[in-house]
Amino acid sequence: MLATVLTSLVRGLEARPVEVQVDISSGVAGFFLVGLASGSVREAKERARAAIRNSGLRFPQRRLTVNLAPAELRKDGSGLDLAIAVGICLAALGLKAPGDAAFLGELSLDGTLRHVDGVLVAARGLPGQGVTDLVVPACDAAEAALGEAIRVLPAPNLASVVSHLRGEAPLAPYAGSLPEAQSPAPELDLAEIHGQEAARRALEVAAAGGHHLLMWGPPGAGKTMLARCLPGLLPPLTLAEALEVAEVRSVLGELPPGCPLDWRRPFRAPHHSMSLAGLVGGGSGMARPGEISRAGHGVLFLDELAEFEPATVQALRQPLEQGRVFLTRSAGSVAFPARFQLVAATNPCPCGWSGDGRRACRCTRAALETYRRALSGPLLDRVDLQVNVPRTPLEALGGEPSGESSSTVRERVLAARSLQLKRQGMLNASLRAAHLRCWAPLRPAARRGLERWATEAALTARGFHRAWRVARTLADLEAAAEVEERHVMEALGYRLAEHAG
Amino acid sequence: MAVVGARRPTPYGEAVAERLATDLAAAGVVVVSGLALGVDAAAHEGALIGGGCTVAVLGSGVDVIYPAANAGLARRLLDAGGAILSQFPDGTVPRAANFPRRNWIIAALADLVVVVEAAEGSGALITADAALHLGKQVMAVPGSVFSALSVGCHQLLRDGAGLVQNARDVLADLSSPGEVLDDPLAAPERFRIAEPADGSRDPLLRHLDDSLPGDPGVLARKLGLPFGDLIARLTRLELEGRVVRRGAGYVKVHGRGTSREESE
Ligand SMILES: [Zn+2]
């Protein structure tokens, strides 16, 4: 007797179909599992045997061969349990499995189905492979149902799946509907920030053009609070974006059951002691997404940038360029999306007082050199906006008026972003030199100003284009068709002061 | 109302004169001064910013604008509906002896004279003296005790002149019910420090110090300018070599392109 049951493995954010072929033949009783199964999958044998017996079903006392195809794909995790057990039961009963249904779930010894990671990825990927029905543990149904193109059949245990396949008690399809799009209230509102005009303006411009931002200021200036305001200035996630965010969390097993879709833009703030694998993704065996993928469509905040390992910072460069990260592991290589907006913060010097004016910097010249070299890597070439964030004097905290609220600023941001998307199909931060000539024409005075600055301040080509991109965003915030001289001048103001020494 | 004072004021004096004239002009007061450098020019500029009309009284013929550096200001003053007056016939050159006589005319035209920074024995004190002789009110703006330019004003205050802290003090004395701001540091909503269109010196420079870095955020709030506009103007001044960045702030650079060095 041969039965073939479909299931799936997740590689990166892709669902790879896996066929579980079960053959029962006469001969010495035994249970053989073949097809590049890792340790965790070989344990499935024991779980399947116990679950079948404890569900009141018969476990065949004959020669049992289970093959997992394709053979070259390394099998990992406990999500194949259900498909293996279903295959054994069907083969024993002499039944065929439906060719358009896939089965996902981990078995406990009593036959109950348990959560598996990555159900959403399977639910979204399998319809493209001809699968129409997906049987999942009941606790994963809401997550699976986000993949709209598939019929989700939640099952409490193995016995219910087998009765469904025998036509005795069909499983009821999951009836929940897709959650409505929401504009969640910002976690932190700009109205709560006192003073800090430079950073407020920089956040607005960063949000409007998708520019990466570096804040430079002493400890206690409020850089973290400011960074936390950025998600609230961005438009709410689109459905596609929210689903991609959910997929990353699904792979990590971090989706809350019941309400899997979160419309808030992610905000991740990894500590500088975090490992390279934790930041960009990796780990032993199958690579898992890192902080840069968790921050997808949201904000990655790196506080104390100079304290991060140089190798870690360098590893951000490729994802920043491509919006994806490629990870190669012994178990194969995968890609994860990593389309995030970077906000970095740093002290002006190791002691924190350089340029403050109220207290002298006590750093040695050599320490300053090392510190600044750590910050002048090619990563910062991708950071269009660089602003100083001074410490707000304590006595001014109460007295300084707080400015506009996040919702007011967001209206301008949304208008500017829609202009960009209509004009060029991307945000200004993605514009290359050739794009700029086409979509960011400079008025004669603006060109003269930019060129004069480039000559006198020895601006690099990259610095030149950074200012040009930012000027384009400033013009978009005013709905100006062409870039005026004042836009260029303001853009040039958002770079760091040249440092003596 | 007349606003008079030193030809080489401190940045403080220049800023006070401009701001006072701005608020007074906005409240409908005509500002009279002498079109000299320093406080006089700041007073005329301020009145123009406030959208008011301002009168310049010269120590030369009306066809001889002195100092030449203020020719642009004179033109804008006339364009804004102001007047340039002189008791001297056309073609009269500015002689030192003319100025005390001119100061009497200023005092005579005004209901009230405000002195902003005056060294001992300076022309502004002659105007104040004339005003007292003519039965006009005299008021003075206090200054730093470290500055020689405060001596004249502080002497006037000691002698009973009214103390001016903001435009409201002046309007109370003029008993004119105008709308002004109590707080000289609060941002004026109705007017902005205009940017010069003709490439002349940006009045923003007056609000920067040459040693203590000015925080652009604080400056924008004080002047009621959008932060982006302020940064654009500061960057322009940086490009012209008039200011430099220091940490998060900006300081003024001296000795390049200022017209302060002209003789009086
Ligand atoms: Zn230091």
Side-chain angles (χ1 to χ4, degrees), chain A residues 117-419:
Chain A
D117 293 343
V119 166
L120 173 57
V121 177
R124 295 191 74 203
L126 288 175
Q129 321 275 354
V131 176
T132 58
D133 288 11
L134 184 63
V135 179
V136 296
C139 60
D140 292 334
E143 177 184 333
L146 294 178
E148 282 176 287
I150 206 158
R151 201 161 71 115
V152 176
L153 301 171
N157 50 39
L158 176 62
S160 66
V161 178
V162 175
S163 338
H164 166 76
L165 291 170
R166 295 169 82 168
E168 294 165 358
L171 293 169
Y174 182 77
S177 58
L178 211 61
E180 297 259 318
Q182 295 166 8
S183 306
E187 184 197 356
L188 188 65
D189 199 294
L190 266 187
E192 294 168 44
I193 308 268
H194 291 271
Q196 298 296 13
E197 281 76 2
R200 298 176 73 93
R201 176 70 171 164
L203 283 171
E204 175 174 346
V205 178
H211 305 283
H212 303 303
L213 168 67
L214 173 70
M215 291 187 283
W216 179 282
K223 289 168 291 191
T224 305
M225 246 178 99
L226 286 160
R228 282 193 179 275
C229 288
L230 182 54
L233 302 181
L234 299 169
L237 291 173
T238 63
L239 179 62
E241 289 169 344
L243 283 171
E244 195 180 281
V245 170
E247 278 189 321
V248 171
R249 291 183 192 157
S250 168
V251 168
L252 290 163
E254 288 177 358
L255 278 181
C259 55
L261 211 54
D262 187 349
W263 297 92
R264 283 174 304 178
R265 293 210 173 246
F267 180 88
R268 303 295 302 187
H271 189 256
H272 56 71
S273 62
M274 175 165 278
S275 68
L276 182 62
L279 192 69
V280 304
S284 58
M286 280 319 302
R288 283 160 60 84
E291 289 294 327
I292 60 169
S293 298
R294 291 169 192 245
H297 300 294
V299 175
L300 180 73
F301 177 53
L302 300 183
D303 199 3
E304 304 192 42
L305 183 65
E307 303 290 328
F308 280 81
E309 287 291 327
T312 308
V313 173
Q314 280 314 302
L316 291 176
R317 209 171 131 213
Q318 176 259 327
L320 270 176
E321 301 270 349
Q322 303 181 0
R324 299 182 75 71
V325 58
F326 298 93
L327 302 166
T328 304
R329 287 292 170 278
S330 55
S333 73
V334 296
F336 286 111
R339 211 165 289 110
F340 58 90
Q341 195 164 354
L342 177 68
V343 178
T346 179
N347 293 335
C349 67
C351 83
W353 288 99
S354 172
D356 187 88
R358 270 169 299 166
R359 209 189 282 180
C361 165
R362 286 173 286 107
C363 303
T364 64
R365 190 164 276 261
L368 283 175
E369 275 298 303
T370 317
Y371 193 79
R372 278 163 192 166
R373 211 170 311 115
L375 288 173
S376 61
L379 177 74
L380 286 193
D381 281 338
R382 305 289 309 158
V383 177
D384 290 344
L385 287 164
Q386 309 189 342
V387 286
N388 274 293
V389 180
R391 201 191 308 257
T392 310
L394 214 53
E395 62 272 19
L397 276 178
E400 287 185 36
S402 48
E404 296 170 307
S405 70
S406 289
S407 61
T408 311
V409 175
R410 183 157 71 164
E411 269 173 45
R412 292 196 294 270
V413 166
L414 296 193
R417 285 173 81 112
S418 85
L419 278 176

Side-chain angles (χ1 to χ4, degrees), chain A residues 197 400 485 489-490 495 497, chain B residues 221 228 235-236 238 245:
Chain A
E197 281 76 2
E400 287 185 36
E485 188 256 5
M489 285 298 145
E490 188 183 343
R495 61 180 162 76
Chain B
R221 200 158 54 236
T235 308
R236 212 171 280 134
E238 200 183 351
R245 289 257 292 260

Side-chain angles (χ1 to χ4, degrees), chain B residues 18 49 188 191-196 202-204 207 223-225 233:
Chain B
E18 182 183 291
I49 292 165
F191 30 78
R192 306 261 186 239
I193 295 201
E195 209 175 337
D202 191 326
L204 201 56
H207 299 271
L223 304 177
L225 287 169
R233 281 163 72 171

